[in-house]
Amino acid sequence: MKSTNLIKHKITKISLILSLLIVGSVSGQTQSKVFDAYKKDKTTLPDFSYVGYHNGEQDIPSINTYKIFNVVDYGAIPNDDVSDKIAIQKTIDAANKNGSGVVFFPKGRFLVNEDNDATNSIISKSSKIIFRGSGSGKDGTELYMKNPLPPADPAKMWTVPPIFIFGSGGNDKKIGEVTTSAVVGSRLISVNTTANLKAGDWIILKLLDNSKELAAAELKSYKVEPEWTYLYNKGIDVKVYHQIQKVENNALTLVTPITYNIDPKYKWEVLKFANSEEVGIEDLAFVGNWQDKFVHHRSWKDDSGFTMLRISRSTNSWLKNCRFTDCSVAAIVTQSANVSVISCVIDGNAGHEAICSNGATNVLIANCTDLASQWHSFGSSHGAMNTVIWKSTYPATTSFESHASQPRNTLLDNVEGGLMNGRGGGALENMPNHMQGLVMWNYKQTNAAEKDFEFWPDSRRFKWWKIPNPVIVGFTSAGTTFIQEQLGQGESLDKTVEPKSLYEAQLKLRLKKLPKWFLDLK
């Protein structure tokens, strides 16, 4: 009995010591003052909590109720050295005509652009289409692109179309204009007409205005340079995609809050968005035939010859568990909203771009890995708004993409890889690389340290890297330092902070608990 009591006493003592150690460890962690300020005033940081499929609130579904359209039934045969391009398009067309469907690929290699194939993309334009393989590993499904598609203009090295395009039919239609002011965080806007709009519709809030006052308000202490001809001549360009929750008189209640202050004197337009919904691409390998050593801007083949996938005009859609091998460009999400890109890998020979939100809203790129070291890795460009890159990695030999043309609100959250100013991207006329709202949260830099890394270098020294007032919280490196005056906010620039993930913390703060999909992925 005494022996039992002694054992219980020792266990209790050990438990107490462990508890004290845990408490001490937690109390020793750096709690972010920036996040504490955000909890009191939501304007101190962009709100990224609405990013992803159905605003991060729902699991990506495992669709098993749609009709199956097996590509083999339409003439595709794996591993037979005969092109399957026509058969794949026929399968997609049948699913589109049905109004929904799973375009299914068994295991094996399917050929999508052989020597005698027509030089066109494979296209789907409908909602509720699932493009599904039998796994993205070597023993799964490979879609092999032997030859590049031709560029629309060989002098414009970015004009090669993707081999696969998932989009929508129809055109956007102007409805009216916003009539009263609305601030970031509001979900109510007043318009001069709500004709033909109803709950569930998607709209575009659009601004293009050359007001010098508007540009100055966004760039703050920085000046627009004459060489930036788009911003200098055309002005501030914003296109944000929203779903309507309610229509009442001439007021629209939006599902998600607005992300840019609206002043009606700048003639904000409202357009009805032509889009597809619930499109999924999953469990496939997209394999190109890019074998040369990549040279940036050497040729159209380098920059876009093997462009694999474009998700366009799609809402509440996803790309998951896919591999992209030997490609110029892996995947671009453009003119879309609330798309989740989950657990994808880029490998093989290095090319131009990894996965990017290009002019889209609320795109999540999560748990993705760039093993190829694309010249531009994961990132945002061309007016993208609210992009989250979470728990993703790329080599020390590359950096995130920030491809100019006014992207805003990009979060690099628990990202690991290089940090260098030569990998942002964008033509001089479309600078800066990014507008307000770039946030780096617990970023781990893996390339060599740099003293006084600049986000806004003097153009006499370097013209192609300009990001105003980034927020850097919880940065780890081999000793990189920053010029404090160039940061919007800077905190804990030599160690990580709590909360470990800003996206996670904001999501939990809004929903009160973390959704199942997030916990499973985490």
Side-chain angles (χ1 to χ4, degrees):
M1 191 71 173
K2 287 182 180 180
S3 175
T4 301
N5 288 337
L6 182 62
I7 292 170
K8 287 181 178 178
H9 175 73
K10 288 182 177 179
I11 291 172
T12 302
K13 188 174 180 180
I14 291 169
S15 298
L16 179 61
I17 292 170
L18 287 173
S19 298
L20 289 171
L21 286 172
I22 292 169
V23 170
S25 175
V26 171
S27 63
Q29 293 173 346
T30 302
Q31 179 66 29
S32 170
K33 293 178 182 178
V34 170
F35 186 70
D36 287 343
Y38 170 81
K39 288 189 289 185
K40 297 173 184 176
D41 178 2
K42 296 299 189 296
T43 66
T44 58
L45 289 170
D47 182 357
F48 295 104
S49 71
Y50 292 89
V51 167
Y53 178 77
H54 280 281
N55 306 122
E57 298 166 9
Q58 297 183 24
D59 294 348
I60 293 174
S62 298
I63 301 294
N64 54 20
T65 56
Y66 292 176
K67 181 178 178 180
I68 303 294
F69 294 84
N70 193 321
V71 295
V72 172
D73 295 334
Y74 291 82
I77 301 173
N79 309 317
D80 70 343
D81 297 324
V82 176
S83 175
D84 303 293
K85 187 173 186 177
I86 293 174
I88 293 169
Q89 185 65 68
K90 285 182 178 178
T91 314
I92 291 172
D93 291 345
N96 282 188
K97 185 177 180 180
N98 186 63
S100 66
V102 175
V103 176
F104 176 72
F105 293 82
K107 292 182 178 182
R109 171 172 277 199
F110 295 84
L111 309 180
V112 298
N113 210 44
E114 293 293 293
D115 293 342
N116 296 319
D117 279 331
T119 56
N120 59 285
S121 303
I122 297 170
I123 301 174
S124 176
K125 291 186 177 181
S126 293
S127 297
K128 298 182 179 179
I129 299 297
I130 311 301
F131 203 61
R132 180 182 293 161
S134 299
S136 61
K138 295 296 183 183
D139 61 345
T141 303
E142 287 193 348
L143 306 179
Y144 176 67
M145 181 183 183
K146 177 182 178 181
N147 298 309
L149 292 177
D153 181 348
K156 297 177 179 178
M157 292 179 280
W158 62 90
T159 61
V160 174
I163 186 63
F164 290 99
I165 299 174
F166 290 84
S168 175
N171 298 304
D172 303 331
K173 181 180 178 181
K174 182 178 177 181
I175 300 297
E177 295 181 357
V178 180
T179 56
T180 60
S181 297
V183 297
V184 170
S186 170
R187 294 195 298 122
L188 184 68
I189 60 171
S190 298
V191 294
N192 59 356
T193 176
T194 58
N196 301 316
L197 291 179
K198 64 183 184 302
D201 285 344
W202 285 83
I203 62 169
I204 308 170
L205 288 177
K206 179 180 178 181
L207 167 71
L208 180 60
D209 196 289
N210 194 24
S211 164
K212 305 307 177 188
E213 178 186 16
L214 194 60
E218 183 157 3
L219 289 181
K220 300 186 186 304
S221 61
Y222 298 113
K223 304 296 182 184
V224 179
E225 299 186 11
E227 290 176 299
W228 307 346
T229 52
Y230 192 97
L231 183 56
Y232 192 82
N233 295 324
K234 294 185 179 181
I236 294 293
D237 189 352
V238 181
K239 294 186 188 75
V240 190
Y241 300 84
H242 286 276
Q243 190 172 27
I244 299 172
Q245 185 178 73
K246 183 170 68 173
V247 180
E248 190 172 16
N249 298 322
N250 280 353
L252 301 176
T253 302
L254 307 175
V255 173
T256 55
I258 65 168
T259 53
Y260 198 99
N261 288 329
I262 293 176
D263 186 334
K265 74 180 182 182
Y266 296 122
K267 295 183 180 179
W268 282 82
E269 295 180 350
V270 178
L271 292 82
K272 188 173 182 180
F273 180 41
N275 65 293
S276 295
E277 297 188 273
E278 304 291 342
V279 174
I281 301 111
E282 54 193 40
D283 301 315
L284 287 157
F286 297 83
V287 181
N289 191 26
W290 172 244
Q291 301 298 331
D292 295 342
K293 181 176 176 56
F294 176 81
V295 178
H296 195 223
H297 295 340
R298 174 176 60 184
S299 70
W300 61 265
K301 286 185 179 181
D302 287 82
D303 281 14
S304 60
F306 291 91
T307 298
M308 307 310 297
L309 174 64
R310 180 194 297 157
I311 299 172
S312 176
R313 294 187 171 276
S314 299
T315 57
N316 291 325
S317 297
W318 66 90
L319 167 66
K320 70 173 185 178
N321 301 332
C322 287
R323 169 169 58 90
F324 299 87
T325 300
D326 295 339
C327 60
S328 306
V329 180
I332 297 173
V333 182
T334 182
Q335 292 179 282
S336 297
N338 295 99
V339 175
S340 288
V341 180
I342 306 291
S343 301
C344 292
V345 174
I346 298 97
D347 65 8
N349 190 32
H352 192 197
E353 296 179 69
I355 300 173
C356 177
S357 173
N358 179 315
T361 299
N362 287 339
V363 171
L364 173 65
I365 300 171
N367 197 36
C368 291
T369 306
D370 173 8
L371 298 174
S373 189
Q374 300 294 84
W375 186 263
H376 311 288
S377 199
F378 309 115
S380 61
S381 69
H382 292 80
M385 180 72 80
N386 281 22
T387 304
V388 172
I389 302 164
W390 176 68
K391 283 187 68 177
S392 294
T393 61
Y394 38 82
T397 47
T398 187
S399 188
F400 64 91
E401 177 173 7
S402 188
H403 223 113
S405 298
Q406 303 186 39
R408 295 172 176 87
N409 294 3
T410 300
L411 171 61
L412 299 158
D413 189 353
N414 283 262
V415 167
E416 180 177 332
L419 176 62
M420 53 193 72
N421 62 14
R423 297 300 178 90
L428 197 59
E429 60 263 31
N430 295 324
M431 298 295 278
N433 297 81
H434 198 283
M435 300 298 274
Q436 294 291 333
L438 178 71
V439 180
M440 302 172 71
W441 196 274
N442 283 340
Y443 190 103
K444 183 178 180 181
Q445 180 193 5
T446 55
N447 61 317
E450 183 172 337
K451 179 178 172 57
D452 293 338
F453 181 91
E454 292 193 77
F455 283 93
W456 199 281
D458 189 315
S459 293
R460 291 170 294 185
R461 288 187 289 107
F462 194 68
K463 296 181 178 182
W464 293 273
W465 177 250
K466 296 283 192 294
I467 296 179
N469 314 118
V471 174
I472 305 180
V473 177
F475 186 88
T476 56
S477 67
T480 289
T481 59
F482 300 96
I483 298 174
Q484 293 289 335
E485 294 77 15
Q486 292 185 357
L487 304 184
Q489 298 183 75
E491 179 187 19
S492 192
L493 301 179
D494 58 354
K495 58 184 175 182
T496 59
V497 298
E498 290 290 333
K500 186 174 182 181
S501 164
L502 178 61
Y503 176 59
E504 176 181 352
Q506 288 184 328
L507 195 63
K508 186 175 182 180
L509 192 64
R510 180 170 69 86
L511 301 179
K512 309 306 179 189
K513 65 177 183 179
L514 292 170
K516 181 179 181 299
W517 74 266
F518 187 92
L519 293 172
D520 290 345
L521 190 62
K522 184 180 176 182

